[in-house]
């Protein structure tokens, strides 16, 4: 039974590490969401929360449950966030791009290379 | 047909994962609802490469774990930018060519770029993406080429 | 247990910061972004509260919340772009 206690201790330590790192990323991301200057840079702060923070915290929870149905559900939540997160982020970025918002202090702009020179079709109802 | 069976297996695995009961009555209800869903999906002509991506290579989880490492690295870089006293923002909108062959490959590539903190795909036209990068390092062309090379390895069998 | 309480507290602090951005704005897209992040954090808080109260059923609610959160973000953005929920984007392009 000594091995079991050691395994539990190792899993607890693994959970503590992933929780600390994941929680730190979540807090940094939330702080960045308040601190960064415009919507374009804030998207990246939200990306830190949505990907690294969320997945690490879910991973830490998975260490605590062992091989049960709960682990499977946590994995499903993680997979779902992994797949839908970038779609939602892209939707926000694309919507603000179409609405005409541009980043502040833009260093390099190759929009014309992608969209061509013609003005974009107006999206009116 | 292969796609229908694949969707049926995936749906039933999801049912089992969410329910956790193994009584014969509940299992048969699960099989029936999965069959009905597959029937509806085939009637709606949804059984294509997009809904049932069986054409992807089985090394997709390996790609995901590699991507996880990349995401972690760039998350650390973005965190440094957020926490630095004078935020060194070099916001850029850059054009990234997408050399992939299939639609699914384009989707995986664009989503991988968006998943990596520091870069977001803003607009997609055939063969090209408009990518917003937060810093100079995040916009390096080699990083995008590396992702594209690995996506090309998983997009078709 | 202490671990889960600590992570829940950290998530609550993050939610408060996100709420600041939600109220300050200034554009619609800042707010949509804040709502989306708020939803992700809610999913995490729900899961960790499930562990604190030792009721794993909370995970089902968390999963449902993740689904609804994604759909609502897309729906809000679609509404403010086309001012309607009904017509598809494809028919919009042709019009």
């Amino acid at each position: 039974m000594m091995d079991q206690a050691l395994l539990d201790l190792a899993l607890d330590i693994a959970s503590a590490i992933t929780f600390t790192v994941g929680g730190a990323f979540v807090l940094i991301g939330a702080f960045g969401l308040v601190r960064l200057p415009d919507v374009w840079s804030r998207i990246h702060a939200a990306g830190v929360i949505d990907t690294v923070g969320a997945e690490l915290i879910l991973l830490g929870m998975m260490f605590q449950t062992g091989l049960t149905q709960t682990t499977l559900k946590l994995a499903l939540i993680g997979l779902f966030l992994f797949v839908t997160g970038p779609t939602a982020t892209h939707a926000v970025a694309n919507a603000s791009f179409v609405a005409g918002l541009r980043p502040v202090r833009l260093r390099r702009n190759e929009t014309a290379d992608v969209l061509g020179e013609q003005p974009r079709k107006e999206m009116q109802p | 047909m292969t796609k229908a069976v694949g969707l049926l297996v995936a749906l039933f695995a999801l049912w089992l994962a969410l329910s956790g009961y193994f009584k014969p009555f509940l299992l048969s209800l699960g099989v029936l609802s999965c069959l009905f869903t597959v029937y509806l999906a085939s009637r709606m002509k949804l059984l294509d490469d997009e809904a049932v991506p069986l054409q992807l290579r089985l090394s997709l989880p390996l790609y995901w774990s590699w991507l996880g490492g990349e995401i972690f690295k760039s998350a650390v870089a973005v965190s440094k930018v957020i926490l630095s006293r004078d935020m060194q923002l070099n916001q850029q909108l850059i054009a990234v060519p997408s050399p992939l062959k299939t639609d699914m490959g384009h989707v995986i590539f664009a989503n991988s770029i968006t998943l990596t903190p520091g870069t977001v795909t803003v607009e997609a036209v055939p063969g090209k993406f408009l990518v917003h990068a937060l810093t100079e390092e995040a916009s390096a062309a080699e990083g995008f080429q590396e992702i594209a090379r690995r996506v090309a390895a998983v997009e078709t069998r | 247990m202490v671990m889960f309480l600590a992570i829940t507290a950290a998530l609550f602090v993050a939610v408060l910061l996100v709420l600041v951005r939600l109220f300050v704005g200034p554009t619609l897209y800042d707010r949509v972004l804040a709502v989306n992040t708020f939803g992700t954090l809610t999913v995490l808080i729900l899961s960790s509260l499930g562990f604190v109260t030792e009721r794993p059923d909370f995970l089902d609610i968390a999963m449902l919340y993740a689904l609804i959160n994604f759909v609502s973000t897309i729906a809000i953005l679609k509404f403010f772009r086309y001012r309607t929920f009904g017509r598809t984007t494809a028919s919009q392009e042709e019009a």
Side-chain angles (χ1 to χ4, degrees), chain B:
Chain B
M1 193 58 209
T2 326
K3 299 222 171 267
V5 174
L7 184 60
L8 187 69
V9 170
L11 282 174
F12 192 64
L14 182 67
W15 169 284
L16 280 183
L18 290 181
S19 106
Y21 289 101
F22 291 93
K23 293 173 188 159
F25 174 63
L26 292 173
L27 281 183
S28 52
L29 280 186
V31 172
L32 280 180
S33 56
C34 289
L35 279 172
F36 186 59
T37 312
V38 171
Y39 166 68
L40 284 184
S42 73
R43 250 182 78 92
M44 291 166 77
K45 300 190 170 47
L46 285 180
L47 294 175
D48 48 13
D49 279 359
E50 215 171 292
V52 195
L54 286 176
Q55 80 278 12
L56 298 178
R57 264 179 214 265
L58 294 177
S59 59
L60 190 65
L62 282 180
Y63 169 70
W64 279 352
S65 51
W66 174 80
L67 188 66
E70 292 296 302
I71 288 172
F72 191 84
K73 274 186 242 164
S74 45
V76 171
V78 172
S79 302
K80 273 183 193 158
V81 171
I82 292 174
L83 292 179
S84 64
R85 193 175 294 262
D86 52 334
M87 288 177 289
Q88 290 294 324
L89 294 187
N90 274 315
Q91 303 206 58
Q92 327 192 350
L93 285 169
I94 48 177
V96 173
S98 172
L100 300 161
K101 289 183 282 295
T102 58
D103 283 353
M104 188 56 106
H106 287 295
V107 170
I108 296 176
F109 185 38
N111 271 355
S112 305
I113 291 176
T114 311
L115 265 172
T116 321
T119 47
V120 168
T121 313
V122 177
E123 186 68 271
V125 292
K128 263 185 201 168
F129 296 135
L130 185 64
V131 173
H132 175 254
L134 188 64
T135 56
E136 192 75 43
E137 301 88 65
S139 69
E142 297 82 41
F144 297 122
Q145 281 161 10
E146 175 75 7
I147 297 179
R149 204 174 52 73
R150 284 175 189 262
V151 173
V154 294
E155 70 172 338
T156 45
R157 282 176 195 260

Side-chain angles (χ1 to χ4, degrees), chain A residues 39-49, chain B residues 78 116-120 132-134:
Chain A
V39 65
W40 291 89
S41 42
R42 281 174 209 142
I43 284 174
H44 300 292
V48 173
I49 297 182
Chain B
V78 172
T116 321
T119 47
V120 168
H132 175 254
L134 188 64

Side-chain angles (χ1 to χ4, degrees), chain A residues 80-81 84, chain C residues 35-36 39-40 43 60-76:
Chain A
F80 193 78
L81 288 180
T84 59
Chain C
V35 167
N36 188 33
T40 310
V43 170
D60 294 320
I61 304 171
M63 200 180 298
L64 208 63
Y65 202 94
L67 290 158
I68 292 174
N69 181 42
F70 172 65
V71 174
S72 65
T73 303
I74 300 294
I76 293 170

